[in-house]
Amino acid sequence: FHIGEREEKCIIEDIPSDTLVVGNYKVQRWDIHKHDFLESAPGLGMFVTVTSPSDTSKLQVLLSKLYGPQGTFSFTSYLSGEHIICFQSNSTRFAVIAGSKLRLHLDIRVGEHFLDESAIQAKDKVDEVNVRLEHLIEQIHHVTREQDYEREREEKFRKTSEETNSNILWWAIVQTLTLISIGIWQIKSLRDFFIAKKLV
């Protein structure tokens, strides 16, 4: 995505608890002479800030660090929910001068544990099978956590829907009773009016 040189851009990732998140990014600066983005942005760094929901109403900062024009960041979520990942360049140019565009390539992997292929090749076949098996077990744990998190969200959504339906039902009952009361009052008022005017 594109971002201004002094602009902060954030994305939201819904992440289950106890999950490793790894992000790779690369920044390219717009070249006004070539009318194209340069291959990299030398001398330019990126502030990466990650905030997560907490038990209180405030957001908790998990990561706040300055990286170069290309880098890898990682963090582990402690609570499930929406995590906000923000990027802002460390450009010190004034806002008027810093009108240049940046292109940010971003790859975020949630819950992935990568195998070190060189370490596997250095070991014999039994160790290779063992390492791959451990990797599969880690992936199974991640999928289980993801399913538990989705189940929690579904349960919360179902409770909210049931509460809303219950409130709508009570509101409909109150409206019906109000309309019946107004109808009875109008009939009584008209009857009293006709009796007072000796029309009945």
Side-chain angles (χ1 to χ4, degrees):
F1 55 86
H2 291 160
I3 181 172
E5 196 170 331
R6 296 292 300 270
E7 182 186 1
E8 182 181 48
K9 206 131 195 183
C10 298
I11 60 169
I12 296 173
E13 282 285 328
D14 212 352
I15 303 169
S17 60
D18 298 323
T19 303
L20 175 68
V21 179
V22 179
N24 294 304
Y25 74 89
K26 177 185 172 185
V27 182
Q28 293 176 291
R29 192 197 295 263
W30 176 259
D31 189 340
I32 201 161
H33 304 297
K34 293 182 181 176
H35 295 287
D36 196 9
F37 285 97
L38 298 171
E39 192 54 38
S40 67
L44 198 64
M46 292 298 285
F47 284 108
V48 180
T49 308
V50 179
T51 52
S52 76
S54 64
D55 295 331
T56 61
S57 58
K58 291 190 216 173
L59 291 173
Q60 180 182 3
V61 177
L62 289 181
L63 174 72
S64 182
K65 193 173 175 185
L66 175 63
Y67 295 90
Q70 186 171 344
T72 301
F73 62 91
S74 64
F75 63 93
T76 302
S77 62
Y78 297 106
L79 291 172
S80 55
E82 292 183 343
H83 289 65
I84 303 168
I85 305 169
C86 296
F87 299 89
Q88 185 175 23
S89 75
N90 66 341
S91 174
T92 54
R93 299 202 291 175
F94 292 115
V96 179
I97 303 168
S100 153
K101 281 190 296 184
L102 302 174
R103 180 184 282 167
L104 186 64
H105 301 269
L106 180 63
D107 177 30
I108 294 180
R109 294 193 173 125
V110 178
E112 290 197 14
H113 299 275
F114 303 104
L115 289 172
D116 185 0
E117 294 294 336
S118 61
I120 290 172
Q121 289 171 359
K123 297 180 179 181
D124 60 5
K125 292 291 179 187
V126 176
D127 285 346
E128 180 181 345
V129 171
N130 193 21
V131 169
R132 289 194 183 275
L133 191 60
E134 285 176 8
H135 178 70
L136 283 173
I137 290 169
E138 272 185 34
Q139 291 294 78
I140 289 168
H141 287 312
H142 170 66
V143 169
T144 307
R145 279 197 304 269
E146 190 87 34
Q147 286 177 336
D148 290 343
Y149 176 57
E150 291 302 325
R151 214 173 284 120
E152 277 176 34
R153 287 185 62 194
E154 186 184 346
E155 190 177 332
K156 196 184 292 182
F157 180 73
R158 190 168 52 255
K159 281 182 184 173
T160 305
S161 299
E162 287 170 2
E163 285 173 11
T164 305
N165 287 339
S166 173
N167 290 341
I168 289 171
L169 176 66
W170 282 110
W171 178 245
I173 290 170
V174 167
Q175 278 185 320
T176 306
L177 291 174
T178 305
L179 287 172
I180 291 170
S181 304
I182 290 172
I184 292 170
W185 176 77
Q186 283 182 332
I187 290 169
K188 187 179 177 310
S189 298
L190 283 171
R191 190 169 161 265
D192 291 346
F193 174 75
F194 288 141
I195 289 172
K197 294 290 182 182
K198 297 187 167 110
L199 296 172
V200 180

